[in-house]
Amino acid sequence: MLAHLCHGDSRKPTLVMLHGFLGSKHDWDCLLCDLLPHFYCICIDLPGHGESPALPPGPSGFERVADMIQATLSSLSIERYHLLGYSLGGRIALHLAQAYPDKLLSLSLESSHPGLQSEEQREARTRNDHLWSEKLASLPIESFLSQWYLQGVFAELTESKRQALIRKRSNNRSKALLTIFESTSLAKQQDLWHLPNQLQLPCHYFTGKDDSKFSAVASKWASIAGIQVHVIADAGHNVHLASPALFCRQLIKHLIEDVQ
């Protein structure tokens, strides 16, 4: 079973929340005040993160993680749920939705990629992720984080916010992270661009207006699949951290109010 925290009234609709790489179940704490009047929130530590065990060896990393999440929810007697995933958590959420579509009430993704579409892209991503794996294996965690948060996708971070993230993430265990990093690489992810068209449930995508890379992904995805895109102003890659109140208002509106 994966480490988790349950918040709120279990009689309300369940919202399962999956954090991104280097995060933990506590990454959603800033949203709980707004969400708990509407949802029973279950925040899960992904394998290799927080208090969860490392990901055991095996074939498909995405399938193994999806099975571990579903087993955890089944142990809590959760029959159906709304699913929200940020970044890596969103990519895992896509595979969870593909494997267990009858369990989901809705799928909401934040700054997540639906998959690479060419072998050339996959090879380039494999090389890039292998370089990061070598850094994760050889550098002190603080040094790794200092380099990680200099990537272009985090360009909106001020220096003070970057340093705060480094301090916050420094309790991660490098060996545990390595068990999930390459096995859930974008290079190994399925091409799931058309999955929303195959799911009989609402699919939502949240992106920050200042995140040019994922704003472009969102625009392309909306044009080819049945996913509803919501662009949040004054936010970059981590939308729910940059603008928690607006993010929650949009989530509540589309998952609760619009279906009543």
Side-chain angles (χ1 to χ4, degrees):
M1 183 187 299
L2 296 173
H4 60 276
L5 287 173
C6 300
H7 303 273
D9 183 350
S10 61
R11 293 171 296 181
K12 295 183 182 297
T14 298
L15 174 63
V16 176
M17 308 166 82
L18 306 178
H19 61 79
F21 180 61
L22 299 170
S24 79
K25 56 185 177 291
H26 295 291
D27 284 9
W28 304 105
D29 288 355
C30 62
L31 306 186
L32 295 177
C33 181
D34 289 328
L35 294 178
L36 290 183
H38 306 276
F39 300 103
Y40 177 53
C41 296
I42 301 179
C43 306
I44 295 177
D45 279 338
L46 295 177
H49 294 75
E51 299 174 301
S52 282
L55 182 64
S60 170
F62 285 102
E63 291 180 7
R64 280 179 286 141
V65 177
D67 289 345
M68 292 172 76
I69 292 170
Q70 186 55 49
T72 299
L73 296 173
S74 295
S75 74
L76 298 171
S77 300
I78 302 298
E79 293 297 327
R80 301 192 71 201
Y81 51 89
H82 297 283
L83 181 59
L84 167 63
Y86 162 65
S87 196
L88 169 62
R91 296 194 289 111
I92 289 170
L94 279 165
H95 288 79
L96 186 59
Q98 183 186 50
Y100 300 98
D102 294 340
K103 296 293 186 181
L104 269 63
L105 297 168
S106 70
L107 175 65
S108 295
L109 308 170
E110 176 190 350
S111 304
S112 299
H113 204 293
L116 301 177
Q117 297 181 293
S118 74
E119 191 59 35
E120 183 180 4
Q121 290 175 323
R122 291 181 185 279
E123 290 175 357
R125 182 60 182 241
T126 297
R127 291 192 297 270
N128 184 68
D129 282 356
H130 185 65
L131 291 175
W132 281 112
S133 288
E134 290 181 334
K135 292 179 180 180
L136 183 57
S138 61
L139 295 174
I141 188 65
E142 294 84 358
S143 299
F144 171 82
L145 293 170
S146 294
Q147 295 186 36
W148 181 261
Y149 287 117
L150 286 175
Q151 295 182 94
V153 72
F154 302 112
E156 81 278 1
L157 292 175
T158 63
E159 181 59 21
S160 62
K161 289 182 178 180
R162 192 173 74 88
Q163 292 301 326
L165 265 178
I166 292 170
R167 290 191 296 271
K168 182 178 181 180
R169 305 305 193 199
S170 292
N171 61 346
N172 274 291
R173 301 159 289 152
S174 297
K175 289 184 178 179
L177 291 174
L178 282 166
T179 65
I180 189 173
F181 180 67
E182 285 198 82
S183 61
T184 57
S185 165
L186 184 57
K188 296 182 179 179
Q189 180 177 319
Q190 295 183 48
D191 177 351
L192 297 176
W193 285 85
H194 292 282
L195 181 64
N197 288 331
Q198 301 162 14
L199 298 173
Q200 302 299 311
L201 50 89
C203 296
H204 298 273
Y205 190 94
F206 295 84
T207 183
K209 188 175 181 180
D210 297 337
D211 185 349
S212 58
K213 175 180 177 180
F214 282 91
S215 292
V217 168
S219 179
K220 178 180 177 181
W221 208 356
S223 71
I224 64 175
I227 192 163
Q228 300 180 56
V229 171
H230 313 285
V231 180
I232 307 298
D234 300 319
H237 189 64
N238 193 327
V239 183
H240 72 265
L241 181 62
S243 190
L246 181 55
F247 180 86
C248 286
R249 283 201 300 271
Q250 290 291 319
L251 191 69
I252 293 163
K253 171 179 170 57
H254 295 295
L255 300 191
I256 298 294
E257 297 173 3
D258 285 355
V259 298
Q260 290 178 346

